[in-house]
Amino acid sequence: MPLSYVPLRERPARRLPQLLVGLFLYGASLALMVRAGLGLSPWNVLNEGLACHTSLSFGTLTTLVGAAVLLLWIPLRQRPRLGTLANILVVGWSSDLGLWLLPTGLAWPVRAALLGAGVLLNGLSIAVYVGARCGPGPRDGLMTGLTAVTGRSLRVVRTAIELTVLAVGWLLGGGVGVGTVLYALTVGSVTQLCLPWFGYRSASDPQTAPTRRTRPPSAAWGPGPVR
């Protein structure tokens, strides 16, 4: 399924609400995982680690880190889109809202349920906002830009970025735990499963011609001779 950028003049009333809903749900999923307290995804380990050393909220730091990553696009000659800017603004706000609504000091079974719900919602929300095809988020753009500059594979570049961010966040005091492992192992599968439901199909996408089934002459004209 194509996931490249599609100009916003094409069905904006269909795609923009999907983008915003997906980003809002993404921020809410981060709040669920933070309140679970059982480990976060690498970038959110970094955000939580920074929150331990500043008076800024988790959501504000999510926004500031996204903006800082966006600055790294300049030497990589990456071009931000509306989806990129919306990612920076909406995710931080919605995660702060979720943290404000969710209580603290929860029992372990409740925290485990929050973690599972957060990971599932995160994978779903990625499929929703990526499927709108309004432009990559700051971190995804950094990955593709570095891949183009270094000539390395996406897998190598993504792994290097995630491990670096995870290490820095952990050193700053961010939460690393079973949730970090669960996220790494499952979120990609959840996203891949959900993408066919939400992926926008553009009229300009290459169309696969249906395969024409050709019957043998004997089938076309009735049973063949008995031998």
Side-chain angles (χ1 to χ4, degrees), residues 145-188:
L146 286 174
T147 299
V149 168
T150 63
R152 301 288 184 178
S153 68
L154 282 173
R155 180 180 62 182
V156 170
V157 172
R158 182 63 178 257
T159 301
I161 293 173
E162 298 286 317
L163 289 177
T164 301
V165 168
L166 179 63
V168 173
W170 177 72
L171 291 173
L172 290 173
V176 178
V178 64
T180 309
V181 178
L182 179 65
Y183 183 91
L185 293 177
T186 61
V187 72

Side-chain angles (χ1 to χ4, degrees), residues 13-143:
R14 149 74 166 80
R15 295 166 56 213
L16 289 179
Q18 177 177 331
L19 169 70
L20 296 176
V21 169
L23 292 174
F24 180 85
L25 293 177
Y26 185 86
S29 73
L30 301 185
L32 290 172
M33 289 188 283
V34 170
R35 283 290 179 258
L38 297 172
L40 301 169
S41 63
W43 283 99
N44 294 303
V45 171
L46 175 61
N47 295 334
E48 188 177 57
L50 291 171
C52 295
H53 298 275
T54 69
S55 59
L56 300 175
S57 69
F58 179 87
T60 300
L61 287 166
T62 300
T63 301
L64 292 177
V65 169
V69 172
L70 192 59
L71 293 176
L72 297 177
W73 284 28
I74 297 174
L76 299 175
R77 298 183 178 181
Q78 293 286 93
R79 182 180 177 183
R81 307 286 187 176
L82 176 62
T84 311
L85 302 177
N87 187 297
I88 295 174
L89 298 175
V90 176
V91 170
W93 171 79
S94 61
S95 61
D96 265 352
L97 177 62
L99 290 172
W100 180 70
L101 292 173
L102 291 169
T104 58
L106 299 170
W108 188 90
V110 178
R111 292 165 56 203
L114 287 180
L115 174 63
V119 172
L120 290 174
L121 183 60
N122 190 272
L124 170 66
S125 64
I126 291 173
V128 173
Y129 79 76
V130 169
R133 300 174 68 178
C134 295
R139 298 154 189 84
D140 295 326
L142 176 64
M143 174 187 67

